[in-house]
Amino acid sequence: MSTTMSAAMNRALPLLAAPVAFFAAFFAVPMIVVVSSSLMAGGVPSLGNYARVLFDQYHWDVLAATFRIAGLTTVACALLGYPLAYYLVRVVKSPALRRTCVILLVLPLFTSNIVRSFGWMVLLGRNGLVNDALVGVGILDRPMRFLGTELGIVIGLVYILLPFIVLAVGNALAAVDPALEDASSDLGATPFDTFRTVTFPLCLPGLMSGIVMVFTLAVSAYVTPALLSGGKITVFPMLIFQQYSTVFDVNYGGALSMTLLVMTLVLVGLAGWIGNAGASATGRKAQ
């Protein structure tokens, strides 16, 4: 048995060499460089950069705005993406039509974020299509200011990130055996009870994975907030970009980067824990 395992390991090592080298070159080494630079100040080891970040109220305000925008984007994507995924998987019966809908959904991903953000700048302007439509149908009396507001940034991010949660939830729903839902109906459960006790708990891991993807991408977004904010709102990635590209303070920029990374991981871990606890509770109630 040991000889067989050794031979298998010897065959697997060449296959693992390329992924490991790629991981080391493009993730591990850059991460080590950022961490080490964040711990330097004036050429000597120091925690001064982190103290500068953590003890300045301005940074906490920017962090709050960053996570608030990311949270609102995630909630909006979940509320819009789950029904859309359910419609594509459960309602659309034609495979050709379903494939067409999926292609239309992911087609914007092949366009640069810069181009899409500029498009939203035109649409959300005071004389843009969105304001003209809202005023035309009587929802607004006069044009509303979207650009330079958190609402405008959220709209742009939702448009960009919605496909990720739709695809994640759609894959989870497609893996749910329809026979389970039929069995629930045969036992007298209403469609809502079937969804609540069978469908939703089974696709909850897919929903949580989509939520994590959307949240992390929204937290780290730079282009869309920078363009749609009009310079009136600052998010943490914009601060990091300024330190690296304008101020050239790589030590301070590294501290900002690591602060955002650690806080994002903490929130993602907390969301995962809440999701697992909710799934367990739902499963116990279903039993």
Side-chain angles (χ1 to χ4, degrees):
M1 180 66 69
S2 59
T3 303
T4 304
M5 293 181 61
S6 299
M9 288 294 296
N10 291 333
R11 291 193 299 268
L13 285 177
L15 298 176
L16 292 174
V20 170
F22 182 89
F23 176 83
F26 295 100
F27 181 80
V29 173
M31 182 64 66
I32 293 173
V33 171
V34 172
V35 173
S36 60
S37 65
S38 69
L39 297 173
M40 301 293 292
V44 297
S46 172
L47 295 175
N49 293 311
Y50 288 98
R52 182 180 174 187
V53 173
L54 297 176
F55 294 104
D56 189 342
Q57 184 60 41
Y58 172 73
H59 294 100
W60 288 105
D61 294 340
V62 175
L63 269 176
T66 302
F67 287 123
R68 182 170 57 251
I69 291 172
L72 292 174
T73 300
T74 304
V75 171
C77 285
L79 294 177
L80 295 174
Y82 195 101
L84 180 57
Y86 190 91
Y87 175 80
L88 292 176
V89 175
R90 288 288 189 264
V91 178
V92 178
K93 301 300 182 182
S94 171
L97 179 59
R98 186 182 298 119
R99 284 194 295 269
T100 301
C101 293
V102 172
I103 291 173
L104 293 175
L105 178 69
V106 302
L107 192 61
L109 296 178
F110 295 94
T111 306
S112 169
N113 282 352
I114 298 176
V115 175
R116 286 183 284 176
S117 298
F118 273 117
W120 276 110
M121 290 178 66
V122 175
L123 292 174
L124 296 177
R126 294 189 65 85
N127 297 318
L129 180 62
V130 174
N131 269 314
D132 288 346
L134 293 176
V135 173
V137 299
I139 296 177
L140 297 178
D141 295 331
R142 58 181 183 274
M144 178 180 177
R145 185 168 70 92
F146 288 102
L147 298 180
T149 66
E150 292 186 3
L151 177 60
I153 298 174
V154 169
I155 292 173
L157 289 176
V158 168
Y159 167 74
I160 292 172
L161 301 178
L162 183 62
F164 292 97
I165 205 163
V166 173
L167 294 177
V169 174
N171 288 332
L173 282 170
V176 176
D177 189 353
L180 298 174
E181 298 173 334
D182 294 338
S184 176
S185 300
D186 292 340
L187 292 173
T190 64
F192 176 76
D193 289 334
T194 298
F195 173 79
R196 180 177 58 85
T197 60
V198 178
T199 308
F200 185 77
L202 290 176
C203 66
L204 185 58
L207 176 62
M208 291 306 302
S209 64
I211 286 175
V212 169
M213 282 191 294
V214 169
F215 182 79
T216 53
L217 290 172
V219 164
S220 60
Y222 167 76
V223 173
T224 301
L227 292 178
L228 297 183
S229 69
K232 295 180 175 63
I233 299 174
T234 302
V235 294
F236 228 70
M238 295 168 63
L239 286 182
I240 296 171
F241 180 80
Q242 291 170 2
Q243 295 304 314
Y244 277 104
S245 65
T246 305
V247 184
F248 301 109
D249 190 345
V250 296
N251 304 126
Y252 182 44
L256 290 171
S257 302
M258 294 309 303
T259 300
L260 180 62
L261 175 62
V262 170
M263 291 190 174
T264 302
L265 291 177
V266 170
L267 290 178
V268 168
L270 180 61
W273 178 79
I274 294 174
N276 292 333
S280 300
T282 304
R284 287 193 299 268
K285 290 180 179 179
Q287 293 174 358

